[in-house]
Amino acid sequence: MNDLSEHILKELKKKNPSLSFIREKMNNREKHIQILNSLKQNQMEMKLSKFELDSLHLLFRTFISMNEQIQSKISTLLDIQIEKLAVATKQLKARESYGVSKTPKISYF
């Protein structure tokens, strides 16, 4: 799961991240999470050593940290896209107003 999270973070660092790539990796992560949940629900009794438990805890803490980074980057990306959409909407309204009227309204800017 952490490898998939790392791929997602690398993609989010790109100038134009691929949403289909991110979606694919997120779906793969979800499959792994579902497998873990099914193991938990089946209550498989596992005998793990202290070292194995510590390693597992470290992996989960890493996963949680990476997940928080992914959420933060996606939230930032969403804010940027919302801002771009608002600007594009204003520009479209201004163009429509300019094309229809001989005396264009400039209040959109």
Side-chain angles (χ1 to χ4, degrees):
M1 288 187 309
N2 289 348
D3 288 340
L4 293 169
S5 297
E6 187 64 38
H7 289 298
I8 293 167
L9 284 171
K10 285 181 182 177
E11 187 67 25
L12 286 169
K13 289 178 183 176
K14 293 180 179 178
K15 184 176 181 178
N16 294 313
S18 167
L19 296 181
S20 61
F21 176 85
I22 293 169
R23 185 180 311 114
E24 176 188 338
K25 297 301 178 192
M26 293 292 279
N27 288 338
N28 288 340
R29 267 181 23 147
E30 181 63 27
K31 289 176 187 173
H32 289 294
I33 291 169
Q34 288 174 354
I35 290 169
L36 286 174
N37 279 334
S38 69
L39 290 174
K40 179 184 169 193
Q41 289 174 355
N42 291 335
Q43 298 179 354
M44 292 181 62
E45 193 168 316
M46 295 187 279
K47 305 278 183 180
L48 299 174
S49 69
K50 179 165 175 31
F51 175 76
E52 289 170 325
L53 282 172
D54 289 344
S55 295
L56 193 57
H57 285 152
L58 176 63
L59 289 171
F60 276 106
R61 282 194 301 271
T62 303
F63 174 78
I64 290 169
S65 172
M66 293 172 92
N67 197 51
E68 289 169 352
Q69 291 175 39
I70 289 169
Q71 288 176 344
S72 174
K73 290 184 183 297
I74 287 177
S75 178
T76 301
L77 186 61
L78 178 62
D79 291 341
I80 291 169
Q81 294 303 318
I82 289 171
E83 186 177 315
K84 286 181 180 180
L85 183 60
V87 168
T89 301
K90 284 182 182 180
Q91 289 176 345
L92 180 61
K93 285 181 180 179
R95 284 185 190 151
E96 288 172 351
S97 175
Y98 184 78
V100 171
S101 173
K102 290 183 179 183
T103 56
K105 297 177 186 173
I106 58 171
S107 62
Y108 294 110
F109 294 104

